[in-house]
Amino acid sequence: MLTAALATAAAAVSLTAGCTRHGAADDGRAPKGTPAPSEGTPAPTQATGSVLAVKIDNVAAARPQTGLDSADVVYAEQVEGGLSRLMAVYATRLPEVIGPVRSARESDLELLRQFDRPTLAFSGAQKKLLPLIRRAPLRPESPAEASDAYYRGNGRAAPHNLYLRPARLMNGAPGRSALTTGFRHGPAPAGGTVTAVRTVRYPAARFAFTWSAGRNRWLVSMDGTPARASAGDRLAPATVVVQHVRVTRSAYHDVLGNYTPFTETVGSGRAEVLRDGRSFEATWSRPEATGGTTFTGTDGGPVNFADGQVWVVFAKA
């Protein structure tokens, strides 16, 4: 859970702010006319030894996303109106551009506690959530703090056109040791159930992961459409985790009165780990916010992930 100070502050506030539905007003803080950066890239504002986490838009108007295929871990969560949003975590490599970037949520603060002062790139947040973000043990880098790192792309309407140049925030990728997620990588466990496709549904969004023996990866589809990187290749993680979590109502809501779901990632519960064309039943455990998440199989042993990108989809328990 959040620290006591953050939780107390969160419970004491309510607000109305940026709607998350497609077509709503921009919830970012960058001016609509923010130009694309010039070829000369200035030095990043601060060196960092921790991961870069970026909140990424995931409605149809935001696809295909840029830089998502370079992330080490992609988290999918439910937001207002039953829609979904992604948080991509980068440690081993930084792409040139990432986006479209969108706003942060209260759940992000708990999820990011597993890392040592991560950099959070986001387009802004609901007004009364911003003080919580500033007090959290992370490095917030929205356009308000680092305007030179962001630009508005052509061909898409705001708010689906805000992009990040990560080299303007970071001195380089921090390396695999910064991925303090608790995940274990190694040989596949014994057993499992042969699985061709696994679908996870939110009220207004849908993820499907289809096994490709030829690529030895899970091909991602979102809302019934194959999900691709901006370069054209299918998004294809090596491991997919369906993590069943408690989802409650936060103190925050949008301008339409839709309350933001709060996804609890501290605790324990049921999970499914998909790798090598099989599904493995597991139990997840994260006793403390400052620790990572472990996955234990039905035999009592750890469930190893395959080498490569991991997607974690939070499903309501």
Side-chain angles (χ1 to χ4, degrees):
M1 298 296 293
L2 293 172
T3 62
L6 294 179
T8 300
V13 296
S14 63
L15 66 137
T16 58
C19 177
T20 58
R21 64 175 183 164
H22 172 49
D26 190 2
D27 59 3
R29 299 296 186 266
K32 294 190 186 304
T34 302
S38 61
E39 290 300 319
T41 300
T45 57
Q46 178 180 333
T48 179
S50 191
V51 300
L52 170 66
V54 185
K55 290 307 299 286
I56 296 181
D57 203 351
N58 197 36
V59 296
R63 301 172 191 151
Q65 292 97 338
T66 300
L68 197 57
D69 50 335
S70 296
D72 293 281
V73 184
V74 177
Y75 293 99
E77 64 175 344
Q78 183 181 327
V79 294
E80 299 90 341
L83 296 170
S84 66
R85 192 156 290 180
L86 307 175
M87 183 161 69
V89 177
Y90 299 84
T92 58
R93 61 176 175 150
L94 298 178
E96 183 180 355
V97 176
I98 302 171
V101 180
R102 288 299 298 273
S103 57
R105 294 295 183 275
E106 183 187 9
S107 301
D108 302 331
L109 304 184
E110 179 172 286
L111 183 60
L112 290 173
R113 288 287 307 283
Q114 66 188 298
F115 303 112
D116 179 18
R117 192 167 162 74
T119 296
L120 174 61
F122 62 112
S123 68
Q126 296 167 327
K127 184 172 62 176
K128 292 186 180 179
L129 180 60
L130 288 171
L132 287 161
I133 295 174
R134 295 189 192 104
R135 292 197 295 271
L138 53 79
R139 179 183 161 212
E141 294 288 2
S142 73
E145 290 87 16
S147 60
D148 287 346
Y150 292 88
Y151 71 97
R152 292 286 180 187
N154 297 322
R156 292 183 182 179
H160 313 295
N161 64 349
L162 182 66
Y163 291 88
L164 170 71
R165 296 277 193 186
R168 298 193 171 196
L169 295 182
M170 312 270 288
N171 280 329
R176 188 170 297 278
S177 62
L179 281 173
T180 51
T181 56
F183 302 165
R184 288 173 53 110
H185 295 262
T193 302
V194 174
T195 301
V197 60
R198 176 66 169 92
T199 300
V200 180
R201 291 177 172 84
Y202 294 164
R206 182 168 84 255
F207 295 89
F209 302 93
T210 302
W211 177 246
S212 169
R215 292 190 60 182
N216 202 33
R217 291 291 186 270
W218 297 93
L219 304 182
V220 182
S221 295
M222 295 188 285
D223 303 331
T225 301
R228 299 185 182 278
S230 56
D233 293 336
R234 285 289 294 273
L235 298 178
T239 304
V240 177
V241 179
V242 181
Q243 186 173 338
H244 299 267
V245 297
R246 188 167 179 255
V247 180
T248 59
R249 193 177 81 169
S250 79
Y252 305 95
H253 58 82
D254 64 19
V255 293
L256 298 180
N258 296 312
Y259 279 86
T260 302
F262 183 85
T263 300
E264 297 186 10
T265 56
V266 172
S268 61
R270 187 170 65 89
E272 303 156 59
V273 177
L274 310 177
R275 59 164 295 174
D276 303 318
R278 292 179 173 269
S279 175
F280 299 87
E281 292 292 327
T283 300
W284 69 270
S285 177
R286 186 184 173 204
E288 302 290 340
T290 52
T293 306
T294 59
F295 294 86
T296 303
T298 55
D299 62 354
V303 179
N304 292 331
F305 293 0
D307 289 335
Q309 187 180 74
V310 177
W311 278 53
V312 179
V313 182
F314 295 121
K316 189 173 182 179

